[in-house]
Each structure stands twice: as structure tokens, then as C-alpha cells.
Amino acid sequence: MRRASGAKPRDRECVFLALGGLGDLLLLTPLIRQIAQTGSRGRVVCVCPPHAKELFERNPHIDRLVVCPGPEIWYWALPQAGREVFAPFHKVELARAPGGDIRIVAREGLNPARGRGPAAEQIAAHFGVALADARPEIYTTRADRAAADRVMARCGGKPGVLLGFESTWPQKRLPVEIRRETRRRLRRRGCALLEVTGRRLRIGSVLLPLPGIRTMAEVARRCAAILTVDSFLGHLAAAVQKPAVVLFGLADPAVYGHPGNCNLHSGACRPCGGTPRRKRCAAAVCMSGFSAEAIAAAVLNLPGLRRRG
């Protein structure tokens, strides 16, 4: 099913347990690529829940993809002869219940927010691997490219800016008034805005169902720029090598930022991701430190828009 990278030991396999947010899972792809290219750890198996399937199913560095719904995914983390398991965000152990039964216990594993240095490099170092290239990647199909072309046709020839102001974490969301003014400034400069809002993609007055992950990757690739809070779209921008402005509040851009992005921190308070302070923050105080003027200026200064004058 997958193309092998050099000679791999037939009696060994390394299993990636891909559980977590989509952005976290995209950060696994540099490690998958590195291990596959060396070939010394055997076949590469990736086990993921259904919502993450599109991230991995076209990846040529994966020999076998297992889509596993429900709690049975944890069985893949059990020790087995000839199997090495990579589950960076979880620590999976066997424990004996009071009645004598053996059960699987999953605890928190590596949390890059508590460390230093880029998250992808922390993940690799956690397993004793040095990355030659820390850039995440996603592979798409001809159908994904065709679907993205249909989406971009709604921009009417204007340069598209993909917007992501929302997050599942309330502390990461950009305040409404800053969003409104940022949109106004970008429209005034002739940009077509494609905004991810919930499970929809808004283009002007049109609301479309949110495209699948791979189609979104191609939409991102076709846009002139990306503007997003620290979220999956920031990592996706790095994967498709598209200029992006990424707004950081509670997370540290030195950990979750990518070198090709313009990573901005509001400076309203210190990054609190991975610390007890985050749980005491009920509102996006740090995100209110941004100004729409500075955000729009940073976007318009990205290469994809700067060249357009």
C-alpha cells in the first residue's frame, strides 16, 4: 500500500499512535519522515482516529495506516515483540485492577509547552531522534486540487487571505472587535477573505461546508497569505510553505511557531501554556493585546501580498 524507503527489517515495525489535536498530529510528520527514510526501525505503521485520517492516508512514508475508532486504539500501544511504539502525547501502561484483571491506563505524556525549543524537535528528541528537517508535511490528491480550485473561484480573481480567528481553546480566540477591524482593513486593500468559522468556510456572504483537511491544504496553498491564531492553520501553513501571520497568546512561539511564519506575540502577558496559570485565565486577556492595524500591516507585508502592491 505504501512505498518503502530503502531496506527495512521485515520482522520489526514502529507504530505511531496519532492521538491529539490536528496541529499536534501534523507535528508528528517530520519524525515519521525521518524514521522512514533511515529504514532501520522497520515498517512504519500509523494508527489514528477517523478525524485525522486525511492527515496521513497519502503520506508515502507510512507503510500501513490503521484508522481505529473508539478506545481500542490503545491496544496498539501495548508492548509486543518486534514493535516500537511512538505515542509522544500519552504514556500508556498496563495496570492490574483490584479484581486481578489487567487494564490499559493512559496518562499524559510529553507536553512540548513545558519544554524549550520547537515542538517537532522536542517530539523527536523524546524518542532519541535528531531531525534533519523539522518542517511538517501533508500530501494531497488531484481531486483535492480540483476541489480547491472550485473554492478559490469564488474569490473573483482577488488575492485570497485564509483567516482562522477561532480555536477550541477560548484563551486563543481573537476578540470580536479586533477581528472586525482587521477584516475591514484587508478588504480595503482588495483582499478576498476566506474565514474558517465553526464547521463552515465563509467567502464574502457565502457560507460553504468546511472542506476536508487535504482540500483545505490546497486552498491554503492557493491563497496569497494566511492569518490565524495559534492553531492547526498555523502548522498547515508551514506544511504547504505558505506565508502566514500567526498570533500567539498563551502559547510560546518559540515552541509552536515555524521559521517560515511571521509569529507575533501580543506581549500583554507571558505565555502560560503548560503552566498552572493557564487554568486560572478564563478570558483571552493576552489576545486583547493585539491591534487590528498591526495585524493587517503584518499580513499585507507578507511576500504573497507585498508583490501585489
Side-chain angles (χ1 to χ4, degrees), residues 148-158 192 194 203-204 206-208:
D149 286 340
R150 292 192 291 272
V151 172
M152 297 305 297
R154 294 182 177 271
C155 294
K158 296 180 180 180
L194 301 87
I203 307 176
V206 177
L207 270 176
L208 303 175

Side-chain angles (χ1 to χ4, degrees), residues 43-156:
R43 299 187 324 127
V44 174
V45 179
C46 182
V47 186
C48 72
H51 75 272
K53 176 183 176 182
E54 287 194 41
L55 278 181
F56 302 109
E57 67 180 344
R58 297 292 171 177
N59 191 319
H61 304 301
I62 296 173
D63 297 294
R64 182 187 177 195
L65 177 65
V66 179
V67 180
C68 192
E72 60 266 28
I73 197 170
W74 297 112
Y75 287 102
W76 284 91
L78 297 179
Q80 183 174 313
R83 173 186 291 176
E84 187 174 8
V85 178
F86 294 83
F89 308 120
H90 300 86
K91 186 179 294 183
V92 184
E93 302 169 343
L94 290 177
R96 189 175 295 277
D101 294 334
I102 300 296
R103 60 190 178 95
I104 301 171
V105 178
R107 298 185 175 89
E108 183 184 14
L110 173 69
N111 185 343
R114 296 173 182 160
R116 296 182 178 180
E121 294 181 7
Q122 286 192 55
I123 293 169
H126 185 70
F127 296 106
V129 177
L131 290 180
D133 179 3
R135 181 178 62 84
E137 58 187 356
I138 185 169
Y139 291 86
T140 61
T141 67
R142 181 180 300 176
D144 300 320
R145 295 189 283 274
D149 286 340
R150 292 192 291 272
V151 172
M152 297 305 297
R154 294 182 177 271
C155 294

Side-chain angles (χ1 to χ4, degrees), residues 27-38 61 118 120-125 128-137 259:
L27 292 173
L28 289 179
T29 58
L31 178 59
I32 291 174
R33 179 179 61 239
Q34 183 75 31
I35 286 179
Q37 288 176 345
T38 62
H61 304 301
E121 294 181 7
Q122 286 192 55
I123 293 169
V129 177
L131 290 180
D133 179 3
R135 181 178 62 84
E137 58 187 356

Side-chain angles (χ1 to χ4, degrees), residues 32-306:
I32 291 174
R33 179 179 61 239
Q34 183 75 31
I35 286 179
Q37 288 176 345
T38 62
S40 60
R41 298 180 189 238
R43 299 187 324 127
V44 174
V45 179
C46 182
V47 186
C48 72
H51 75 272
K53 176 183 176 182
E54 287 194 41
L55 278 181
F56 302 109
E57 67 180 344
R58 297 292 171 177
N59 191 319
H61 304 301
I62 296 173
D63 297 294
R64 182 187 177 195
L65 177 65
V66 179
V67 180
C68 192
E72 60 266 28
I73 197 170
W74 297 112
Y75 287 102
W76 284 91
L78 297 179
Q80 183 174 313
R83 173 186 291 176
E84 187 174 8
V85 178
F86 294 83
F89 308 120
H90 300 86
K91 186 179 294 183
V92 184
E93 302 169 343
L94 290 177
R96 189 175 295 277
D101 294 334
I102 300 296
R103 60 190 178 95
I104 301 171
V105 178
R107 298 185 175 89
E108 183 184 14
L110 173 69
N111 185 343
R114 296 173 182 160
R116 296 182 178 180
E121 294 181 7
Q122 286 192 55
I123 293 169
H126 185 70
F127 296 106
V129 177
L131 290 180
D133 179 3
R135 181 178 62 84
E137 58 187 356
I138 185 169
Y139 291 86
T140 61
T141 67
R142 181 180 300 176
D144 300 320
R145 295 189 283 274
D149 286 340
R150 292 192 291 272
V151 172
M152 297 305 297
R154 294 182 177 271
C155 294
K158 296 180 180 180
V161 178
L162 182 59
L163 302 179
F165 291 142
E166 299 179 356
S167 171
T168 54
W169 291 42
Q171 301 95 331
K172 290 186 177 184
R173 297 172 189 164
L174 196 66
V176 172
E177 62 275 13
I178 302 177
R179 302 185 197 188
R180 185 180 299 118
E181 178 62 16
T182 301
R183 294 189 199 100
R184 188 185 70 81
R185 288 173 178 269
L186 294 176
R187 288 195 187 103
R188 193 171 62 188
R189 292 294 296 270
C191 297
L193 306 184
L194 301 87
E195 183 169 354
V196 176
T197 172
R199 298 300 302 169
R200 298 286 187 269
L201 181 66
R202 184 189 299 276
I203 307 176
S205 60
V206 177
L207 270 176
L208 303 175
L210 190 67
I213 295 170
R214 294 198 313 268
T215 297
M216 279 300 296
E218 288 297 336
V219 168
R221 202 188 305 273
R222 284 157 173 72
C223 283
I226 297 172
L227 167 61
T228 179
V229 298
D230 169 38
S231 65
F232 173 65
L233 284 184
H235 302 302
L236 187 64
V240 300
Q241 301 183 62
K242 178 57 58 175
V245 171
V246 183
L247 308 176
F248 286 86
L250 66 86
D252 187 346
V255 174
Y256 287 107
H258 294 276
N261 293 342
C262 174
N263 302 307
L264 302 180
H265 193 272
S266 69
C269 55
R270 300 192 317 276
C272 64
T275 72
R277 285 193 300 118
R278 182 187 67 78
K279 297 181 180 179
R280 298 195 297 267
C281 181
V285 175
C286 49
M287 301 303 287
S288 64
F290 287 106
S291 76
E293 180 181 9
I295 293 171
V299 173
L300 294 168
N301 195 45
L302 291 174
L305 290 171
R306 190 171 62 236

